[in-house]
Amino acid sequence: MNRAFSRKKDKTWMHTPEALSKHYIPYNAKFLGSTEVEQPKGTEVVRDAVRKLKFARHIKKSEGQKTPKVELQISIYGVKILDPKTKEVQHNCQLHRISFCADDKTDKRIFTFICKDSESNKHLCYVFDSEKCAEEITLTIGQAFDLAYRKFLESGGKDVETRKQIAGLQKRIQELETENIELKNKVQDLENQLRINQVHTSPAGSVTPKSPSTDIFDMVPFSPISPQSSTPTRNGTQPPPVPSRSAEIKRDLFGAEPFDPFSCGAGEFPPDIQSKLDEMQEGFKMGLTLEGTVFCLDPLDSRC
C-alpha cells in the first residue's frame, strides 16, 4: 500500500468507532465476482484472481453484459454485499473470516479481499471496481477488523459465556419440562388408581365410599387426594403430623429439583456454540493482512 499500515503510526482512523460499531459505512462499487483461491493470503494469490475475473468480465462485456453494481456495508459485524436498489443481501462476509484485503496499485480502481466461505470452508476472493474509493474501502475494512478484534478481546469472552449459559438454561428448561410432563402423567395415574381403590359399586348401582384401610399399626395411610384432617385412628390416637414441605425445598411439586440458573454446569451447552467460538478465535488469531502487512492486535488471552 502507499503508506505503512501500523497502529502505532495511524492513531487516528478515517471513521469514528461509533459509525462502525452502531451503524455501518456504505460504499458503491461494481462487483467483478468471486473465485476460489488455494491460500487465505498472498499478493500473488489475489493478483491471479483479479486477472481471472477481469478476463471473465471482459468476455461478458463483449457479450453485452454490464458489470453489476453493488452496495458494500462495512461494520464490525462484517462486510455485506447488497443489491443497491432492492437492498437484498447477496453475500455476508464476517470479519473473522476475512484474512486478506488489498487494493491494486497497478489499477487504482480495483480492490479485493479473501474470505472463508461459511458453508464450504473454501477461500473465496472477492473483486470489486471502485473508481475513487478502492484504497479507502480497504482501510475501512481494516479499521472494522481492528474494532471487531478489540470487542472480541474485551467482551467477546463474556458474551460467549453468556451465550453458553443461555444455551445451558434453555437445554435445562426443556429437560425439566419433559420431566414435569412425565411426572404429571404419573401423578394422574396414581390418583386414578387411588380413586378406583377407594370407590366400589354396589349391586344396585349406588356408589358408596370404602372405609379407609389401615396399616399394621392401625394407622390410616396418607392419601394425596384427601385433606390432612385430624381424624383419629381406631385406637383413639392422632396420626403423626405430616412433615412441613419446607423441609423438602430441594424438590418441587412433581418431585423434581427446582430450576437453579446458577447450577448449570459449564459443559451444558450445544457443541455448535463452542465450534463458533473456536472459529472466531482462529480467524482473529490469523489476523487481517493488508497488502503484506499483518493487521492484528495482541494475542488472544485466556478469557477468550
Side-chain angles (χ1 to χ4, degrees):
M1 302 192 68
N2 291 336
R3 61 186 185 125
F5 200 89
S6 170
R7 289 188 61 251
K8 293 182 179 180
K9 295 180 180 180
D10 300 323
K11 295 181 179 179
T12 59
W13 289 103
M14 303 177 64
H15 309 285
T16 63
E18 291 75 16
L20 288 165
S21 299
K22 298 181 179 180
H23 306 283
Y24 59 84
I25 305 298
Y27 290 100
N28 293 320
K30 293 181 180 179
F31 186 32
L32 274 67
S34 63
T35 182
E36 182 182 353
V37 293
E38 296 296 328
Q39 301 295 329
K41 297 178 183 288
T43 303
E44 288 299 325
V45 173
V46 296
R47 189 172 295 166
D48 291 341
V50 170
R51 289 198 195 101
K52 178 180 179 181
L53 290 173
K54 272 188 174 182
F55 180 78
R57 182 53 54 186
H58 179 73
I59 297 298
K60 292 182 179 180
K61 188 176 181 180
S62 65
E63 296 173 350
Q65 299 184 27
K66 294 183 178 180
T67 304
K69 295 180 180 180
V70 295
E71 177 183 331
L72 299 177
Q73 294 181 355
I74 303 174
S75 70
I76 63 171
Y77 300 102
V79 179
K80 288 184 179 180
I81 305 172
L82 305 90
D83 184 293
K85 294 182 179 179
T86 65
K87 301 300 180 181
E88 179 183 358
V89 178
Q90 299 175 354
H91 303 277
N92 188 6
C93 304
Q94 296 173 306
L95 285 180
H96 69 274
R97 289 181 171 271
I98 299 178
S99 54
F100 192 91
C101 187
D103 52 285
D104 191 345
K105 296 310 167 189
T106 61
D107 187 347
K108 295 185 179 296
R109 301 175 306 169
I110 302 298
F111 70 95
T112 178
F113 62 82
I114 298 177
C115 181
K116 190 176 183 180
D117 184 68
S118 59
E119 295 182 359
S120 65
N121 282 330
K122 296 179 179 179
H123 296 287
L124 301 178
C125 183
Y126 295 80
V127 180
F128 303 87
D129 183 329
S130 178
E131 186 175 353
K132 298 179 180 180
C133 302
E135 183 177 4
E136 179 180 338
I137 294 173
T138 301
L139 295 177
T140 301
I141 293 175
Q143 181 183 3
F145 186 93
D146 177 56
L147 293 172
Y149 197 176
R150 287 172 176 269
K151 181 177 176 64
F152 184 80
L153 288 176
E154 293 172 359
S155 63
K158 296 179 181 178
D159 292 342
V160 170
E161 287 302 321
T162 300
R163 294 191 199 103
K164 290 180 181 179
Q165 291 179 7
I166 292 175
L169 298 182
Q170 291 174 341
K171 179 181 178 182
R172 182 60 177 156
I173 288 173
Q174 292 177 351
E175 292 175 350
L176 288 174
E177 288 178 347
T178 302
E179 185 178 352
N180 283 342
I181 291 174
E182 295 175 353
L183 290 170
K184 284 180 181 179
N185 293 334
K186 290 181 180 179
V187 169
Q188 186 63 44
D189 292 340
L190 290 173
E191 290 181 349
N192 293 337
Q193 292 178 7
L194 287 171
R195 289 193 183 97
I196 293 174
N197 293 335
Q198 293 177 351
V199 177
H200 71 277
T201 304
S202 63
S206 60
V207 178
T208 57
K210 285 185 177 181
S211 59
S213 59
T214 59
D215 59 16
I216 58 174
F217 300 105
D218 203 24
M219 301 289 288
V220 178
F222 170 72
S223 173
I225 63 171
S226 61
Q228 299 177 16
S229 61
S230 58
T231 305
T233 58
R234 293 183 180 179
N235 58 9
T237 61
Q238 294 289 341
V242 178
S244 171
R245 293 293 293 176
S246 62
E248 302 177 8
I249 57 175
K250 293 185 178 181
R251 293 189 175 274
D252 61 15
L253 177 63
F254 304 106
E257 294 184 3
F259 178 64
D260 184 0
F262 299 102
S263 65
C264 180
E268 294 182 313
F269 55 90
D272 59 327
I273 290 183
Q274 184 63 49
S275 64
K276 290 179 181 179
L277 170 61
D278 294 340
E279 177 198 327
M280 290 183 66
Q281 181 171 321
E282 289 300 319
F284 281 124
K285 186 184 296 184
M286 178 183 292
L288 173 63
T289 302
L290 293 184
E291 197 70 318
T293 301
V294 177
F295 186 88
C296 61
L297 301 180
D298 298 328
L300 294 172
D301 56 26
S302 59
R303 292 179 302 166
C304 303

